Amino acid sequence: MAENKAEVVLHPIRMRIIQCLADGEQLTAQQLNERMPDVPPATLYRHLKKLQEAELLVIAEERPNRGTLERVYMLPEHAEGMSVEELKQAGPEDHLSYFINFMAQIIGDYARYVRHPSFDLFQDGVIYRQMPLYLSDQENLELLHRIRELMLQAAENEPTPERRQRLVTTIVFPEPGPDAEGSE
């Protein structure tokens, strides 16, 4: 039975590979191995192949290195550069792939934050939570519009010594109904 993209990516080593490639990074297997020295090279190559087969990883270039071709890996392009029509034509696995790459970027950003020597969740106002809300389609649109207005207003702020750039991420989707595939 073939694994879906979520099953492929939800492996600790593969998640680490994706995190290394977040933010547009392009790395060779050797560079990845330097960032993950606890992973044996043969294991790393096996996981790179699995990610490539699932189209969660692409080869950005191949370059000669000591008589072989060295591959440079990267995450595929994200959905944010796609037109509405292209998004509509993409299938469920495509959208899952886009979302996984988006989440990989967020994970990479957060990893860089918590690895900073002076990170302070409380002082920095860091939050992450999920809150289920019961909203009609109209109420959902109104909420999204108000959030967008507040974010656009805050985006006009100029940098000052008191202001620090913050990453604000919103993800809104309806919970699948009882007739959705995979529900019990």
Side-chain angles (χ1 to χ4, degrees):
M1 184 172 165
E3 291 179 286
N4 67 33
K5 289 184 180 184
E7 291 168 333
V8 170
V9 81
L10 292 175
H11 182 283
I13 293 174
R14 292 191 286 266
M15 279 299 299
R16 288 173 60 195
I17 292 169
I18 290 171
Q19 288 171 7
C20 288
L21 295 170
D23 238 5
E25 290 264 13
Q26 296 184 9
L27 301 171
T28 64
Q30 181 179 345
Q31 291 168 319
L32 284 164
N33 199 233
E34 289 168 5
R35 293 187 183 193
M36 301 185 312
D38 58 312
V39 178
T43 301
L44 178 66
Y45 280 105
R46 189 171 56 253
H47 288 292
L48 286 169
K49 183 177 182 199
K50 188 107 171 165
L51 286 167
Q52 218 181 324
E53 288 170 349
E55 298 176 348
L56 293 166
L57 199 63
V58 296
I59 297 172
E61 71 175 289
E62 291 181 325
R63 51 183 132 160
N65 183 12
R66 298 183 200 155
T68 65
L69 279 181
E70 181 177 51
R71 292 179 171 171
V72 179
Y73 298 95
M74 66 181 274
L75 296 176
E77 290 187 24
H78 303 293
E80 57 223 28
M82 297 175 70
S83 70
V84 173
E85 191 56 39
E86 288 171 315
L87 285 171
K88 285 181 181 179
Q89 290 177 2
E93 285 294 310
D94 296 318
H95 286 287
L96 183 57
S97 178
Y98 305 150
F99 189 76
I100 288 168
N101 289 330
F102 174 69
M103 293 305 297
Q105 283 188 329
I106 294 169
I107 291 167
D109 291 338
Y110 191 74
R112 280 187 295 283
Y113 165 71
V114 297
R115 288 185 182 123
H116 193 274
S118 65
F119 91 95
D120 182 330
L121 296 173
F122 298 106
Q123 176 69 31
D124 296 336
V126 174
I127 61 166
Y128 49 92
R129 65 178 48 108
Q130 185 174 45
M131 178 184 294
L133 304 173
Y134 291 95
L135 302 169
S136 68
D137 289 347
Q138 183 60 38
E139 290 167 330
N140 185 53
L141 288 175
E142 288 171 10
L143 176 65
L144 294 176
H145 180 73
R146 291 194 341 236
I147 291 169
R148 183 176 182 271
E149 282 180 352
L150 288 170
M151 290 177 76
L152 287 174
Q153 181 182 353
E156 293 176 5
N157 292 346
E158 295 292 327
T160 67
E162 300 84 35
R163 288 187 177 140
R164 179 173 172 187
Q165 185 177 30
R166 298 173 191 275
L167 298 175
V168 178
T169 305
T170 57
I171 301 169
V172 178
F173 60 93
E175 189 170 347
D179 59 341
E181 184 181 325
S183 65
E184 304 189 2

